[in-house]
Amino acid sequence: MTQTVTRGESLGAQVARVLRQRIVRGELAPGARLTEEALAEEFAVSRGPVRDALTQLSFEKLVEVQRPRGVYIVGLTSDDVDQLYSLRGALEQLALSRAMRVDDDDRWQPMAEAVQRMAEAADAGDHAAFVTADLDFHSQIYALADHPRLQGAWNQYLPTFAALLEVTINHDEDLHESADDHVTLLDVMRTGSPDAAAAVLSAHLDGARERMLHEVGSR
């Protein structure tokens, strides 16, 4: 079946997103072989966007490119999940410590708006909107850090974490608990001590890691 791609987001990014979701969900098993030709036919695109997608997924360690033999699915193991969340923890703790230096209330407004959107998505049971708001919230921590290289590192792995969140959040019938967690994190970042904020963030990310480990272990 030919996959549909749109003309807003780059074609390579769209192909990468679909393949990433399949890998994270376990729909593409480790060791499975892909070819540029078959993917180009499936997505009705030229080989250029397919190569772009595979390059990105190779960077994320989700596939291994073995030219001229083809591309092989690496998949996502428990160790991969641990590595991803330990990396994210290191990045986000640094971002948080720098963000807490910001006193300008206006700069915190986008994060507050993301919290509000999460609450609205929880009320509506809208998982897709919740994922978008959740990722926006965490991206704002990096924006507040005023550290372009740190923000760049987060942006490189943001698509991977988006796919992980999409998998785990869809198991939640009630999104209010997760929304409340972000209210707590925002509050402690604005009014608490750096140590308290670091502890709340650590617990938040540990919970996300455990949920994804459960997902991988149940396959």
Side-chain angles (χ1 to χ4, degrees):
M1 179 183 296
T2 300
Q3 286 283 330
T4 301
V5 293
T6 61
R7 300 296 166 180
E9 185 183 15
S10 76
L11 297 179
Q14 292 179 69
V15 173
R17 186 178 67 251
V18 173
L19 294 176
R20 185 185 298 108
Q21 289 170 340
R22 292 176 183 174
I23 295 168
V24 170
R25 291 171 183 162
E27 296 169 6
L28 288 173
R33 181 175 179 267
L34 305 175
T35 66
E36 291 181 2
E37 181 180 14
L39 290 172
E41 181 178 354
E42 177 185 358
F43 289 93
V45 297
S46 68
R47 291 196 182 189
V50 170
R51 291 193 187 103
D52 291 343
L54 295 176
T55 297
Q56 176 61 29
L57 295 176
S58 177
F59 167 81
E60 296 173 32
K61 308 301 182 186
L62 296 176
V63 304
E64 182 179 359
V65 179
Q66 297 182 8
R67 292 192 173 93
R69 296 176 57 203
V71 179
Y72 294 84
I73 302 299
V74 174
L76 200 66
T77 66
S78 296
D79 186 54
D80 292 321
V81 172
D82 279 331
Q83 288 186 34
L84 283 166
Y85 277 98
S86 64
L87 174 62
R88 179 174 175 182
L91 295 174
E92 206 147 313
Q93 289 288 1
L94 175 57
L96 178 142
S97 69
R98 293 176 61 93
M100 289 182 70
R101 304 173 188 174
V102 176
D103 293 325
D104 184 351
D105 290 341
D106 289 343
R107 292 195 60 197
W108 288 89
Q109 190 57 34
M111 188 179 291
E113 291 172 356
V115 166
Q116 179 60 35
R117 295 196 339 260
M118 274 187 272
E120 293 169 355
D123 288 342
D126 188 337
H127 288 71
F130 192 95
V131 167
T132 299
D134 186 322
L135 294 170
D136 284 349
F137 175 96
H138 287 278
S139 292
Q140 286 304 318
I141 300 177
Y142 293 88
L144 286 163
D146 293 326
H147 192 317
R149 289 178 175 82
L150 178 61
Q151 189 169 7
W154 162 247
N155 287 338
Q156 284 185 307
Y157 280 95
L158 180 55
T160 309
F161 284 107
L164 298 180
L165 181 59
E166 286 168 0
V167 167
T168 57
I169 205 71
N170 281 324
H171 291 304
D172 293 340
E173 292 186 12
D174 188 347
L175 298 169
H176 289 91
E177 182 178 352
S178 183
D180 290 343
D181 284 347
H182 290 84
V183 172
T184 300
L185 182 53
L186 175 58
D187 182 63
V188 74
M189 288 181 69
R190 295 304 319 268
T191 64
S193 69
D195 286 346
V200 171
L201 177 61
S202 180
H204 179 72
L205 295 181
D206 282 348
R209 180 180 63 86
E210 289 300 323
R211 286 155 59 83
M212 194 62 216
L213 285 172
H214 177 75
E215 176 72 24
V216 170
S218 65
R219 292 173 184 169

